[in-house]
């Protein structure tokens, strides 16, 4: 089996999702990595040191500066005949590009896999993670997105593998990039953080989130939130953890004022250690926690923060 993994990057550095996706791809067969971008030589050089890759393909062209899915899918289609599997991270970019590629190839897509049984069979969560579906595809080329939290990261080595340049395809002109509004944050990126501190509707206001932010700063943690807190306007959308937000699996997940709706649990229940603080002893969040504290978060969180050196 020959497998192609698609790199996630920002034209300056590889994103952690790439390493998880490569590790999933290596479970299937010999793996190549495709880097598509503009002025991304640093990314290509970094990709060359990922352990276990066969080769790194790259297309370094201005047309791919902003990762427009319509153009990227056409480029990948041009080399798809060489591969039995094409794997994307189940990120916003991956979920945008993979279905378009599958349509161009006239094959099904196998989304959000968490386990590889064999080269044709995969497991993926459904119903907010309450059931696991086993999917089998007999397509000649299988287009797959990978839930990165379900797979360990690939490691780096000192050896540099060969690179192969591929030619840019014609601009489809179906979509035009206008601009990006990116939130600036000194904290770790949510999906890659080792520690996440999340708040819910129980915080009551945007101002009250400062209680959790002080704890997050002390721990060097990323900030997250439930959908209820996001919908209430307490915090930005990119903080949302859950089925319709980001899926995280940090070493430590602290949930304060979060009741634990199944949609939220679907996004964080794979965390290594889960700590919950909620006044309601019957809150569903306690069903998945390693440590639970039924108490007022406005009293306990500052006390915890003071105890951390």
């Amino acid at each position: 089996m020959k497998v192609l993994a698609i790199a996630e990057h920002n034209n300056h550095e590889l994103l952690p999702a790439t390493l998880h996706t490569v590790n999933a791809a290596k479970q299937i067969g010999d793996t190549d990595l495709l880097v598509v971008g503009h002025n991304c030589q640093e990314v290509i050089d970094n990709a060359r040191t990922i352990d276990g890759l066969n080769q790194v393909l790259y297309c370094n062209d201005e047309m791919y500066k902003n990762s427009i899915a319509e153009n990227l899918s056409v480029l990948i289609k041009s080399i798809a005949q060489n591969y039995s599997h094409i794997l994307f991270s189940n990120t916003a970019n991956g979920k945008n590009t993979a279905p378009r590629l599958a349509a161009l190839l006239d094959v099904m897509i196998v989304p959000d896999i968490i386990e590889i049984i064999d080269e044709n069979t995969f497991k993926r969560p459904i119903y907010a993670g309450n059931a696991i579906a086993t999917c089998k595809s007999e397509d000649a080329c299988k287009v797959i997105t990978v839930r990165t939290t379900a797979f360990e990261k690939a490691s780096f080595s000192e050896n540099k593998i060969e690179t192969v340049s591929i030619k840019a395809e014609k601009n489809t002109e179906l979509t035009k990039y206008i601009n990006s509004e990116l939130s600036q944050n000194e904290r770790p990126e949510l999906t890659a953080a080792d520690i996440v501190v999340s708040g819910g509707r129980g915080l009551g206001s945007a101002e009250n989130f400062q209680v959790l932010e002080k704890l997050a700063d002390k721990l060097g943690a990323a900030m997250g939130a439930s959908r209820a807190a996001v919908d209430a306007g307490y915090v930005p959308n990119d903080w949302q953890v859950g089925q319709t937000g980001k899926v995280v699996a940090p070493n430590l997940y602290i949930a304060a004022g979060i009741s634990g709706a199944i949609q939220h649990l679907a996004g964080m229940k794979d965390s290594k250690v889960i700590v919950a603080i909620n006044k309601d002893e019957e809150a569903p969040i306690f069903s998945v926690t390693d440590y639970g504290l039924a108490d007022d978060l406005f009293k306990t969180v500052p006390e915890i923060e003071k105890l951390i050196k």
Side-chain angles (χ1 to χ4, degrees):
M1 297 292 162
K2 199 170 180 185
V3 185
L4 179 67
I6 311 301
E8 283 271 338
H9 64 90
N10 57 13
N11 287 321
H12 304 293
E13 60 181 351
L14 276 176
L15 299 181
T18 301
L19 301 179
H20 296 281
T21 304
V22 166
N23 225 10
K26 285 160 58 179
Q27 292 183 26
I28 301 172
D30 292 339
T31 300
D32 293 345
L33 181 68
L34 174 63
V35 178
V36 183
H38 177 57
N39 288 336
C40 58
Q41 188 59 48
E42 188 177 351
V43 176
I44 297 166
D45 291 340
N46 199 12
R48 292 180 65 192
T49 63
I50 298 176
D51 190 39
L53 287 178
N54 183 40
Q55 62 183 2
V56 173
L57 310 177
Y58 69 91
C59 184
N60 198 350
D61 190 278
E62 187 175 2
M63 183 169 65
Y64 302 110
K65 178 180 179 180
N66 298 300
S67 191
I68 294 175
E70 287 80 359
N71 290 335
L72 181 55
S73 58
V74 170
L75 176 67
I76 300 170
K77 178 180 181 276
S78 70
I79 58 172
Q81 71 275 8
N82 300 323
Y83 298 96
S84 61
H85 300 72
I86 300 176
L87 272 64
F88 297 79
S89 306
N90 197 52
T91 58
N93 283 335
K95 289 186 284 189
N96 195 14
T97 308
R100 288 175 166 81
L101 175 63
L104 291 173
L105 296 174
D106 194 24
V107 299
M108 67 179 284
I109 181 174
V110 185
D112 202 19
I113 68 165
I114 60 171
E115 186 180 339
I116 298 166
I117 298 175
D118 58 40
E119 65 269 18
N120 296 322
T121 315
F122 314 91
K123 288 188 177 182
R124 58 179 298 264
I126 57 175
Y127 303 127
N130 287 301
I132 304 298
T134 301
C135 307
K136 188 169 186 177
S137 171
E138 299 292 351
D139 287 327
C141 181
K142 296 161 186 63
V143 178
I144 297 166
T145 67
V146 175
R147 178 172 292 199
T148 55
T149 57
F151 297 88
E152 295 295 326
K153 288 182 182 180
S155 57
F156 290 96
S157 70
E158 295 182 358
N159 300 322
K160 291 191 174 183
I161 59 174
E162 71 169 305
T163 59
V164 177
S165 175
I166 61 174
K167 183 181 176 183
E169 292 292 309
K170 187 177 179 180
N171 193 330
T172 64
E173 299 183 352
L174 294 171
T175 302
K176 181 180 178 182
Y177 173 82
I178 298 175
N179 74 302
S180 299
E181 294 182 11
L182 303 176
S183 58
Q184 300 297 320
N185 199 329
E186 294 182 359
R187 296 192 182 94
E189 203 279 320
L190 181 56
T191 56
D194 285 332
I195 304 174
V196 174
V197 176
S198 277
R201 188 163 42 194
L203 271 294
S205 70
E207 292 73 22
N208 287 341
F209 261 81
Q210 294 177 11
V211 174
L212 296 187
E213 291 187 57
K214 290 179 181 178
L215 176 61
D217 290 341
K218 206 80 172 280
L219 292 170
M223 284 294 299
S226 67
R227 178 170 179 171
V230 171
D231 287 348
Y234 300 163
V235 294
N237 288 342
D238 59 353
W239 285 21
Q240 185 179 330
V241 174
Q243 184 181 16
T244 54
K246 295 179 179 178
V247 177
V248 300
N251 290 324
L252 174 62
Y253 187 88
I254 300 174
I258 296 176
S259 62
I262 59 171
Q263 291 85 355
H264 184 76
L265 300 186
M268 46 66 72
K269 65 182 181 181
D270 291 329
S271 304
K272 306 299 185 292
V273 177
I274 301 173
V275 177
I277 305 168
N278 197 299
K279 286 193 295 186
D280 181 8
E281 296 181 4
E282 304 298 321
I285 190 74
F286 289 124
S287 67
V288 298
T289 55
D290 298 284
Y291 303 95
L293 180 60
D295 206 342
D296 183 353
L297 70 90
F298 295 107
K299 180 182 75 174
T300 57
V301 171
E303 287 178 359
I304 294 170
E305 190 241 318
K306 287 178 183 177
L307 291 171
I308 297 172
K309 296 181 180 179

